[in-house]
Amino acid sequence: MNKLIAASILALAVAYPTTAQTPPFDTPAPIAYLEDLSSGAVLYAKDADRRIPPASMAKMMTVYVAFDLIKQGKLKLSDTAEVRPETWKKWHSQGSTMFLAVGENPRVEDLLNGIVTLSGNDACVVLAEKIAGTEEAFVNLMNQQAKKLGLTNSQFGTSNGWPDEGRTFVTARDLAHLAKATIQDHPQLYKQFYSRTSYTWGKTLGAGEAITQGNRDPLLGRVAGADGLKTGHTEEAGYGFTGSAEQNGRRLVMVVAGLDSYGGRAEESVRFMQWGFRAWSPQPIASKGKRIGEVEVQGGGSGSVGVVAPRDLNATIPAGTSPKMTGKLVYLGPVKAPIKAGQHIADLIVETPGMPTQTLPVVAEADVGEAGFFRRVWLGLTSFFA
């Protein structure tokens, strides 16, 4: 039976350690969350697990489902959809819209731009009907995906986050996790769709008058490296935003929710993200390829395998400090063979006094094949006598 194995392997103390104190920050946003994806460090959390209506931030899940189907080859960007009269009647003037017209056949690529950049409620429902036949069936896919991603405090009742008497709810922590999954699982599609500053739909694409709308993302053009994700607003939810930016190899994901104005959302989003980059700094832990330790292997041609840093690993610490840190290798083991070089099989847990732990992935140093016949016999005998 596999068990959680933890071994203290690193003493990361510096020559003149200083105390690490969380840099001060406050925000009028009733809900806020900031995570450094490069280190796994949660830099700020304010009521991050309270269930809230997401408004249009729910559209991130609609987009994730589509991205996942594209990755699997079950959906193509060039596939076309139908704008049904019933869908147009309900959504052509209900909240944010892409201004789709009855009889149009937009491509999946057009609809994704209409969702991400324009926040089109109509685009969400047309895409949902294209993928699953009905919006209700598509919502089932959204909730299945949420479960796979471990969004334990989220539930979806619509494809676009329109108020639905409380059936749709999320948390700031779950929204950040969804943003992280989008960025890491679908990097090319994320890059293609999430950083457009505007999008035009209409006459130039063969129907009606051309209409250009801007992206409401408050970070684009105001914070270096900003490239997503999604705003949201309803009377019920207030003004919210889930955003991300990358600077010098550090990627942060932030969430604010419940703000009372469009301008307030923009101001707080910029201030929050800038604080994350300025008040915190990376502390090198291990260079790419550095051997971190060994893990036990079950049923393999070798009884153990080394684990190495898959990239330059850094912890996140308050700027201007040099705190004492320790590292602990943690994995569910013994790890069953076969194992491929580069496979994520363990984590390096970095602990700093006065701060939350940080989790950094480590990977197998080499391939480990399944044990041959004679080794299996030997392993069986040693297991029996043990």
Side-chain angles (χ1 to χ4, degrees), residues 332-346:
L332 191 63
V335 181
K336 293 183 179 180
I339 298 168
K340 292 291 186 182
Q343 181 179 336
H344 177 204
I345 57 174

Side-chain angles (χ1 to χ4, degrees), residues 268-351:
E268 283 307 302
S269 295
V270 171
R271 195 170 71 91
F272 197 21
M273 187 63 81
Q274 288 179 337
W275 175 79
F277 283 116
R278 294 172 180 173
W280 300 83
S281 62
Q283 172 67 43
I285 297 296
S287 58
K288 182 178 180 180
K290 178 180 174 61
R291 203 170 207 262
I292 304 298
E294 289 189 345
V295 304
E296 297 177 56
V297 175
Q298 180 179 16
S302 173
S304 65
V305 64
V307 289
V308 299
R311 51 179 169 79
D312 290 344
L313 298 180
N314 298 294
T316 304
I317 60 174
T321 67
S322 300
K324 180 179 179 180
M325 294 181 287
T326 57
K328 184 165 57 180
L329 187 64
V330 176
Y331 64 99
L332 191 63
V335 181
K336 293 183 179 180
I339 298 168
K340 292 291 186 182
Q343 181 179 336
H344 177 204
I345 57 174
D347 291 308
L348 177 62
I349 307 299
V350 177
E351 297 177 332

Side-chain angles (χ1 to χ4, degrees), residues 12-333:
L12 304 169
V14 297
Y16 302 100
T18 58
T19 303
Q21 294 183 339
T22 301
F25 183 80
D26 195 19
T27 174
I31 294 167
Y33 183 84
L34 181 65
E35 182 175 345
D36 189 331
L37 300 192
S38 309
S39 65
V42 176
L43 308 183
Y44 190 90
K46 180 180 181 181
D47 219 355
D49 296 308
R50 189 210 304 180
R51 290 181 174 181
I52 57 172
S56 287
M57 290 185 288
K59 293 168 183 170
M60 290 193 299
M61 179 56 79
T62 294
V63 173
Y64 186 93
V65 170
F67 281 2
D68 198 54
L69 292 172
I70 291 167
K71 183 178 181 179
Q72 295 177 51
K74 296 178 180 179
L75 184 69
K76 297 179 180 179
L77 291 175
S78 58
D79 288 346
T80 58
E82 176 189 1
V83 181
R84 299 188 308 118
E86 298 86 351
T87 303
W88 177 86
K89 183 177 181 180
K90 182 175 181 180
W91 293 108
H92 78 282
S93 60
Q94 190 82 291
S96 301
T97 176
M98 182 180 172
F99 295 107
L100 292 166
V102 175
E104 282 186 319
N105 296 110
R107 299 166 301 172
V108 168
E109 181 177 359
D110 301 321
L111 294 172
L112 285 170
N113 279 313
I115 295 168
V116 173
T117 305
L118 311 181
S119 198
N121 291 326
D122 52 351
C124 286
V125 179
V126 170
L127 181 62
E129 292 173 344
K130 161 65 183 176
I131 290 172
T134 65
E135 186 182 20
E136 291 75 17
F138 183 81
V139 166
N140 289 334
L141 296 180
M142 296 173 72
N143 286 315
Q144 289 172 22
Q145 196 62 257
K147 186 175 181 180
K148 288 180 183 177
L149 293 175
L151 308 187
T152 55
N153 258 324
S154 295
Q155 176 178 287
F156 298 92
T158 69
S159 63
N160 53 28
W162 193 253
D164 59 2
E165 299 179 338
R167 290 189 298 277
T168 298
F169 57 82
V170 297
T171 66
R173 197 183 304 273
D174 277 0
L175 285 172
H177 189 83
L178 175 56
K180 175 182 178 179
T182 302
I183 294 164
Q184 295 184 344
D185 296 348
H186 308 290
Q188 295 305 315
L189 289 167
Y190 174 76
K191 183 177 179 180
Q192 179 177 350
F193 287 99
Y194 268 102
S195 57
R196 295 184 71 114
T197 57
S198 65
Y199 189 65
T200 301
W201 178 257
K203 187 176 182 181
T204 57
L205 299 175
E209 292 297 323
I211 300 172
T212 299
Q213 298 182 73
N215 194 328
R216 299 181 182 91
D217 184 332
L219 301 184
L220 293 180
R222 298 182 65 187
V223 173
D227 54 10
L229 295 156
K230 194 73 196 70
T231 58
H233 169 250
T234 61
E235 290 298 319
E236 173 190 31
Y239 289 85
F241 174 60
T242 300
S244 185
E246 185 174 24
Q247 296 181 12
N248 301 317
R250 285 182 67 206
R251 178 172 285 281
L252 306 185
V253 165
M254 57 151 287
V255 180
V256 290
L259 288 158
D260 59 9
S261 71
Y262 184 97
R265 175 178 65 189
E267 179 181 342
E268 283 307 302
S269 295
V270 171
R271 195 170 71 91
F272 197 21
M273 187 63 81
Q274 288 179 337
W275 175 79
F277 283 116
R278 294 172 180 173
W280 300 83
S281 62
Q283 172 67 43
I285 297 296
S287 58
K288 182 178 180 180
K290 178 180 174 61
R291 203 170 207 262
I292 304 298
E294 289 189 345
V295 304
E296 297 177 56
V297 175
Q298 180 179 16
S302 173
S304 65
V305 64
V307 289
V308 299
R311 51 179 169 79
D312 290 344
L313 298 180
N314 298 294
T316 304
I317 60 174
T321 67
S322 300
K324 180 179 179 180
M325 294 181 287
T326 57
K328 184 165 57 180
L329 187 64
V330 176
Y331 64 99
L332 191 63

